[in-house]
């Protein structure tokens, strides 16, 4: 279906059709309405590539933690997801501006967001939804400038974002509870590497787990180790001490990625590898080795690659076509990985589009 077909149907000139469909002056409102209704009825769709080539570049900024140190476990996949999507949109004249931040070097999310506002002409923003008060204030400045935003991982409903792309953490917690109840004997306790008590993506998983136990009236002893303000090693020592001293522990899991590494190390050093049910969080080289070596029975993948890929898709569709997602919260599916299914996720042909390369 082309403009010529609409001109033939409506008996208006091609120039009038062009003005009506593109919001330009030159036709009456009555004619404009008639032409648009006819175009819709005939199934007309504009050539998005051709339109993109005629306009200035659309600049999308992405502010994620840099994939170094502990952040590499999770954000390597997140960066790859957004790069893959934008890379596949070259014909649409879209440019990606990367703004990684490294909090251990004093360069936090707020600093990067303010730098983007002050030094770049950007059309849209993708960033992590969990942030401190300074980060929330910087998001307000994007809203004031009418710059569309999509959040990833955790939501900020008052920020004015288009949507947030994230897993359903309550469901993850419930699935982990069902898995533990099915595999861990009723007289055995469950240990949770529970992450940061202030981060929704951590505590909502634990809440989902506990709510499932209550609903099923499953009486279980549950030990929880939260991230320590004094550093990762203190949390690791707590996990190791519990595994060594509590003979009743029959299963364990981690609610977050960093805690997964500590839990795997603690299981190895305690000598409990293979004798308890253990589920790690997310897919990266260390966790893969834990799974292959029987330290972890399974991995629970929250799919950071898919989260950022979909965030880039929704923001791009909004900028190009003013098309909003059907929901303000877009849930990305999560998966349980077994040792036998691990080859599906490794390598260039893997389910994560080569995440591990």
């Amino acid at each position: 279906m082309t403009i010529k077909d609409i001109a033939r149907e409506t008996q208006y000139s091609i120039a009038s059709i062009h003005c009506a469909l593109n919001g330009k002056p030159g036709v009456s409102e009555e004619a404009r309405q008639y032409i648009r209704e006819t175009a819709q009825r005939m199934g007309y769709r504009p050539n998005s590539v051709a339109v993109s080539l005629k306009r200035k570049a659309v600049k999308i900024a992405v502010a994620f933690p840099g994939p170094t140190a502990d952040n590499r476990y999770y954000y390597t996949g997140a960066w790859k997801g957004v790069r893959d999507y934008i890379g596949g949109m070259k014909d649409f004249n879209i440019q990606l501006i990367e703004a990684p931040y490294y909090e251990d070097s004093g360069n936090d999310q707020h600093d990067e967001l303010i730098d983007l506002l002050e030094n770049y002409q950007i059309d849209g923003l993708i960033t992590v939804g969990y942030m401190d008060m300074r980060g929330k204030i910087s998001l307000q400045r994007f809203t004031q400038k009418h710059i569309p935003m999509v959040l990833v991982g955790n939501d900020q409903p008052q920020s004015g974002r288009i949507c947030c792309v994230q897993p359903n953490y309550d469901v993850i917690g419930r699935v982990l509870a069902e898995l533990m109840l099915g595999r861990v004997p009723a007289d055995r306790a469950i240990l949770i590497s529970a992450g940061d008590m202030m981060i929704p993506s951590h505590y909502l998983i634990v809440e989902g787990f506990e709510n499932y136990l209550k609903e099923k009236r499953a009486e279980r002893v549950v030990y929880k180790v939260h991230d320590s303000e004094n550093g990762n090693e203190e949390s690791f020592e707590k996990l190791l001490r519990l595994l060594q001293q509590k003979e009743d522990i029959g299963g364990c899991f981690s609610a977050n990625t960093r805690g997964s590494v500590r839990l795997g190390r603690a299981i190895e050093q305690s000598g409990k590898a293979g004798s308890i049910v253990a589920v790690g969080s997310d897919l990266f080289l260390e966790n893969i080795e834990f799974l292959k070596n029987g330290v972890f029975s399974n991995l629970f993948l929250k799919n950071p690659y898919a989260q950022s890929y979909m965030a880039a898709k929704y923001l791009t569709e909004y900028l190009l076509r003013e098309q909003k997602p059907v929901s303000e919260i877009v849930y990305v599916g999560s998966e349980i990985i077994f040792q036998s299914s691990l080859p599906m996720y490794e390598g260039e042909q893997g389910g994560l589009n080569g995440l591990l390369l």
Side-chain angles (χ1 to χ4, degrees):
M1 185 59 58
T2 68
I3 286 180
K4 290 182 180 180
D5 297 314
I6 300 171
R8 189 180 304 111
E9 177 72 17
T10 61
Q11 299 299 306
Y12 281 98
S13 68
I14 291 177
S16 295
I17 302 298
H18 175 77
C19 291
L21 295 179
N22 291 281
K24 298 180 180 296
V27 293
S28 67
E29 282 304 312
E30 182 181 358
R32 188 187 310 277
Q33 183 68 21
Y34 173 62
I35 291 170
R36 287 183 172 179
E37 289 177 353
T38 303
Q40 184 176 13
R41 174 172 53 82
M42 296 177 69
Y44 171 76
R45 294 290 183 274
N47 186 330
S48 298
V49 174
V51 172
S52 299
L53 293 174
K54 293 179 182 179
R55 64 159 183 262
K56 67 181 181 69
V58 174
K59 297 180 180 179
I60 293 178
V62 179
F64 289 158
T68 60
D70 288 351
N71 282 327
R72 67 185 171 85
Y73 302 138
Y74 197 81
Y75 287 102
T76 296
W79 280 107
K80 181 168 175 56
V82 74
R83 287 169 182 159
D84 281 357
Y85 184 83
I86 299 299
M89 299 292 288
K90 291 179 180 178
D91 291 341
F92 291 83
N93 204 10
I94 297 174
Q95 293 181 8
L96 177 63
I97 299 173
E98 296 187 7
Y101 51 92
Y102 306 88
E103 296 182 2
D104 56 351
S105 64
N107 175 33
D108 62 13
Q109 183 183 28
H110 167 81
D111 296 330
E112 279 302 321
L113 293 178
I114 296 303
D115 180 69
L116 286 170
L117 282 173
E118 294 179 349
N119 298 302
Y120 296 88
Q121 294 293 323
I122 65 172
D123 300 291
L125 171 70
I126 301 171
T127 192
V128 177
Y130 175 74
M131 59 189 64
D132 59 18
M133 185 55 66
R134 294 174 72 243
K136 294 176 183 178
I137 292 172
S138 61
L139 280 192
Q140 291 177 1
R141 294 183 58 178
F142 280 82
T143 303
Q144 291 166 359
K145 289 180 174 290
H146 305 289
I147 298 175
M149 300 176 293
V150 172
L151 302 181
V152 173
N154 289 282
D155 195 18
Q156 291 289 340
Q158 308 305 319
S159 65
R161 83 289 186 263
I162 298 171
C163 70
C164 175
V165 183
Q166 64 177 64
N168 189 321
Y169 298 113
D170 178 72
V171 169
I172 291 175
R174 290 171 177 275
V175 171
L176 288 167
E178 185 174 354
L179 185 151
M180 289 290 161
L181 291 183
R183 295 186 183 177
V184 179
D187 61 343
R188 309 291 279 178
I190 297 169
L191 170 64
I192 305 175
S193 180
D196 192 322
M197 289 186 290
M198 301 301 294
I199 299 180
S201 56
H202 300 178
Y203 68 71
L204 289 175
I205 290 176
V206 178
E207 286 184 4
F209 175 88
E210 293 175 332
N211 289 336
Y212 186 90
L213 294 187
K214 290 178 183 177
E215 291 168 12
K216 298 299 181 181
R217 298 180 180 178
E219 298 290 338
R220 294 297 177 97
V221 175
V222 177
Y223 304 110
K224 289 184 285 188
V225 175
H226 293 280
D227 289 355
S228 172
E229 295 181 358
N230 298 323
N232 294 341
E233 281 305 306
E234 182 173 329
S235 300
F236 164 73
E237 292 295 338
K238 290 180 180 178
L239 290 167
L240 179 58
R241 189 160 54 250
L242 283 168
L243 286 166
Q244 290 174 331
Q245 297 178 357
K246 301 294 184 180
E247 295 295 332
D248 61 336
I249 294 177
C252 58
F253 71 87
S254 178
N256 67 319
T257 304
R258 296 184 186 189
S260 185
V261 178
R262 296 193 290 271
L263 180 61
R265 288 174 52 210
I267 293 171
E268 280 189 321
Q269 292 195 28
S270 69
K272 295 290 182 69
S275 64
I276 61 174
V277 178
V279 181
S281 177
D282 291 298
L283 188 67
F284 48 90
L285 295 178
E286 287 84 348
N287 262 5
I288 288 173
E289 289 304 308
F290 286 141
L291 182 60
K292 287 181 176 179
N293 295 332
V295 176
F296 286 146
S297 315
N298 302 98
L299 299 178
F300 205 103
L301 178 65
K302 297 191 287 292
N303 218 333
Y305 177 93
Q307 290 181 56
S308 64
Y309 187 96
M310 295 303 295
K313 177 180 184 293
Y314 284 122
L315 182 58
T316 299
E317 290 179 346
Y318 181 81
L319 293 172
L320 295 183
R321 307 181 183 93
E322 296 186 1
Q323 179 179 333
K324 286 187 176 183
V326 295
S327 174
E328 292 186 355
I329 302 292
V330 179
Y331 289 118
V332 169
S334 302
E335 304 170 58
I336 296 179
I337 302 174
F338 292 78
Q339 192 177 89
S340 58
S341 65
L342 184 58
M344 295 173 55
Y345 299 87
E346 294 183 285
E348 190 171 5
Q349 302 303 317
L352 293 185
N353 200 17
L355 169 60
L356 301 177
L357 296 181

